[in-house]
Amino acid sequence: MSQTDVVLTDTHTHIYYHAGSPQLEEHLNRCFENNVHRLFLPNVDVASITAVMETVQAYPTHCFPMLGLHPCSVKEGYLSDLSAIERAIQSHKIYAVGEIGIDLYWDKTTLVIQQDAFRTQIGWAKALGLPIDIHCREAFDEVFAILEELKDEQLFGIFHCFTGTLEQAQRAIDLGFKLGIGGVVTFKKAGLDAVVSQIALEHIVLETDAPYLAPTPFRGKENESSYLRFVAEKVADLHQISLEKLAQITTQNSIDVFGI
């Protein structure tokens, strides 16, 4: 397989933060130069829907939207936000409900309404036959409790930015989820590399979470989707296969999840 045949998929990027600016074209051109040809874009709140859709409209063969209410955006008045996002989902073609989930790193006081929003949006995904894209930060027990409560054949998707243990990985896989592996796998002391090396590639998709969590050698700087190549090279090395083979497997996994 030649380099031109390599197609990497960034299953989670906020590249739309650059919507309407020359930087968007620059970022995407760097993506294409690094074989990143498929990008899935999750909004985080009502206000970010427009930027997601503008980016998708500008690059319809490369960028694909997800819509949901990020757990850190679940605050007082969240029910009206959910209604607005539900209306947006009814009027746009989307490929997942996300990013949704539970985050207890920033605010533990909103757990009950985060749980309610998570359940509601899982219901949307099931009704639409769509995957969910899960944000889980310091909340594995809480997220797993809801997934196990709602588990059925319609529940599937991706654990975005997975950084858990091998046991947690297996639990997610058993529930029908792929693991979104990003820049953290390149961090020397994170320990994620040891976990990823023991997970069959059929359960893995790649992501950047740009502009966050830039991989080594850009750690601490603004991340971008073109840096997915460094994540891919690390995972390929851990599994002792070629970048081309890794790209083929993980992109097919993303197609299996998103249907495109």
Side-chain angles (χ1 to χ4, degrees):
M1 183 182 290
S2 68
Q3 267 307 96
T4 55
D5 292 323
V6 177
V7 175
L8 289 166
T9 300
D10 188 347
T11 61
H12 193 110
T13 173
H14 301 275
I15 198 168
Y16 60 87
Y17 286 174
H18 296 295
S21 78
Q23 284 180 289
L24 179 62
E25 184 178 3
E26 293 167 7
H27 276 245
L28 279 159
N29 284 338
R30 286 195 290 273
C31 283
F32 305 152
E33 289 164 8
N34 286 278
N35 301 108
V36 182
H37 295 287
R38 292 159 43 84
L39 301 93
F40 287 82
L41 284 50
N43 74 310
V44 293
D45 54 20
V46 175
S48 56
I49 294 172
T50 299
V52 168
M53 291 305 168
E54 284 179 356
T55 304
V56 168
Q57 287 164 8
Y59 293 91
T61 60
H62 297 284
C63 295
F64 309 96
M66 306 184 246
L67 291 180
L69 187 62
H70 190 293
C72 292
S73 299
V74 177
K75 303 180 186 301
E76 186 178 353
Y78 77 100
L79 291 175
S80 64
D81 289 342
L82 285 174
S83 294
I85 291 170
E86 186 175 22
R87 288 194 298 273
I89 288 172
Q90 290 167 353
S91 58
H92 293 97
K93 170 68 174 173
I94 65 167
Y95 295 90
V97 175
E99 64 187 283
I100 65 175
I102 299 175
D103 187 311
L104 298 181
Y105 176 81
W106 293 108
D107 190 351
K108 294 179 174 63
T109 68
T110 58
L111 174 59
V112 172
I113 59 174
Q114 285 189 52
Q115 289 168 320
D116 182 57
F118 190 29
R119 286 190 183 95
T120 295
Q121 294 178 96
I122 289 172
W124 297 349
K126 286 183 176 185
L128 294 166
L130 292 174
I132 60 172
D133 190 64
I134 298 175
H135 174 106
C136 174
R137 190 167 186 190
E138 296 193 1
F140 272 114
D141 290 345
E142 292 79 4
V143 166
F144 280 134
I146 288 177
L147 295 180
E148 284 164 359
E149 168 194 328
L150 301 177
K151 175 177 167 54
D152 61 21
E153 291 181 357
Q154 280 72 49
L155 181 64
F156 69 107
I158 295 171
F159 258 81
H160 149 60
C161 193
F162 181 82
T163 55
T165 64
L166 186 59
E167 180 185 14
Q168 289 164 334
Q170 192 58 55
R171 198 170 172 188
I173 290 165
D174 289 345
L175 282 163
F177 286 83
K178 306 289 187 193
L179 308 178
I181 303 301
V184 176
V185 76
T186 69
F187 299 173
K188 283 187 177 178
K189 296 181 180 178
L192 184 60
D193 54 348
V195 174
V196 169
S197 66
Q198 298 176 74
I199 297 169
L201 288 174
E202 67 190 271
H203 304 304
I204 288 174
V205 292
L206 304 180
E207 63 164 73
T208 59
D209 198 22
Y212 314 109
L213 295 172
T216 303
F218 303 101
R219 188 175 182 181
K221 299 179 181 177
E222 180 180 338
N223 197 7
E224 57 180 78
S225 286
S226 65
Y227 297 166
L228 188 71
R229 180 171 66 88
F230 296 93
V231 176
E233 287 172 350
K234 179 65 175 181
V235 176
D237 183 57
L238 290 170
H239 281 266
Q240 299 183 310
I241 63 171
S242 68
L243 178 63
E244 291 83 357
K245 185 65 175 175
L246 187 279
Q248 182 183 19
I249 293 169
T250 54
T251 283
Q252 184 58 53
N253 291 345
S254 75
I255 293 169
D256 293 344
V257 173
F258 294 115
I260 188 171

